[in-house]
Amino acid sequence: MSGHALFLLLDLVGTFVFAISGAVAAKQRNLDLFGVFVIAFVVACGGGIVRDVCIGAVPPAGLSNWRYLVAAMVAALMTIVAYPQVRRLRQPVLFFDAIGLGLFAVSGAQKALAYGHNAEVAILLGVTTAVGGGTLRDVLLARVPVILQREIYASAALLGAAIQVACEQLGLSQSWTPWAATCVCVGLRLMSLRFHWHLPTFASGNAGKPGSGQ
């Protein structure tokens, strides 16, 4: 499989699983059929659209390539039909979101490199691709975005994107490198959920005391 085909596959698989997470979240909020499809598409393609606009890949693939729309709609439809089975997964939104996070972090960083951007830009846009859709989902569903909470989320995407970019820059990239970088990102995210790992907070020492204003 060529490099272009591999990263297109990563992008489409990420689109599919992110659409599932969006559709599940929409179903949990009792949105109608149109709302489920809209949220699924926004989650699946939102981050990639932002990335493409930033790197000058216009019109964005999420809008111009029919494969992305089809992947998102098929995933949403499958979620609606098989929702009783999907919801049996423990925290299904978080599970599919973690998979999409890793896939998009790697494919987003690689696409930025392919368009001639440096390592720093590639890593940042990999993170943007990964967290953009989930952030839009949470905003549309009136939830505090995961990226603004203490959870290991953007940092997991940062690690996956950094591994992919580092391998590319050092000439160490192999056909399995994107999958390895994706697994590291997904594994870190899922382990943080399983073992309740959180980033440190820096609350005031007076927090919660009378007169502290908290």
Side-chain angles (χ1 to χ4, degrees):
M1 181 181 292
S2 68
H4 174 75
L6 173 60
F7 287 103
L8 177 61
L9 175 63
L10 285 174
D11 233 14
L12 290 174
V13 174
T15 297
F16 188 85
V17 296
F18 256 146
I20 293 176
S21 78
V24 171
K27 284 282 291 180
Q28 290 174 342
R29 288 302 182 99
N30 296 317
L31 270 62
D32 62 15
L33 184 63
F34 180 75
V36 172
F37 280 110
V38 168
I39 296 297
F41 178 77
V42 168
V43 176
C45 299
I49 290 172
V50 172
R51 172 204 63 208
D52 287 353
V53 170
C54 289
I55 66 177
V58 291
L63 299 177
S64 62
N65 190 329
W66 61 269
R67 295 177 181 87
Y68 292 89
L69 176 62
V70 169
M73 295 302 99
V74 169
L77 184 60
M78 288 178 59
T79 302
I80 293 170
V81 172
Y83 184 67
Q85 288 73 37
V86 173
R87 68 181 300 181
R88 291 174 187 169
L89 291 173
R90 183 179 179 270
Q91 299 178 305
V93 173
L94 295 177
F95 176 75
F96 289 110
D97 189 77
I99 297 174
L101 186 77
L103 291 166
F104 272 7
V106 172
S107 66
Q110 182 62 31
K111 187 166 185 177
L113 287 177
Y115 272 75
H117 295 281
N118 61 31
E120 179 184 356
V121 171
I123 292 172
L124 291 176
L125 288 179
V127 174
T128 299
T129 307
V131 306
T135 300
L136 290 172
R137 174 199 63 213
D138 292 341
V139 170
L140 290 173
L141 296 179
R143 308 190 307 195
V144 177
V146 177
I147 192 176
L148 299 180
Q149 301 179 41
R150 294 191 305 152
E151 296 189 27
I152 296 176
Y153 188 70
S155 50
L158 178 67
L159 179 59
I163 291 173
Q164 176 62 30
V165 171
C167 289
E168 287 286 343
Q169 295 292 297
L170 297 174
L172 302 176
S173 182
Q174 303 292 329
S175 59
W176 50 265
T177 303
W179 300 110
T182 298
C183 288
V184 170
C185 176
V186 175
L188 177 59
R189 174 62 177 153
L190 292 178
M191 288 178 66
S192 72
L193 293 172
R194 173 65 178 83
F195 298 106
H196 307 291
W197 296 342
H198 298 288
L199 295 175
T201 57
F202 301 94
S204 168
N206 294 323
K209 294 182 180 180
S212 65
Q214 298 292 326

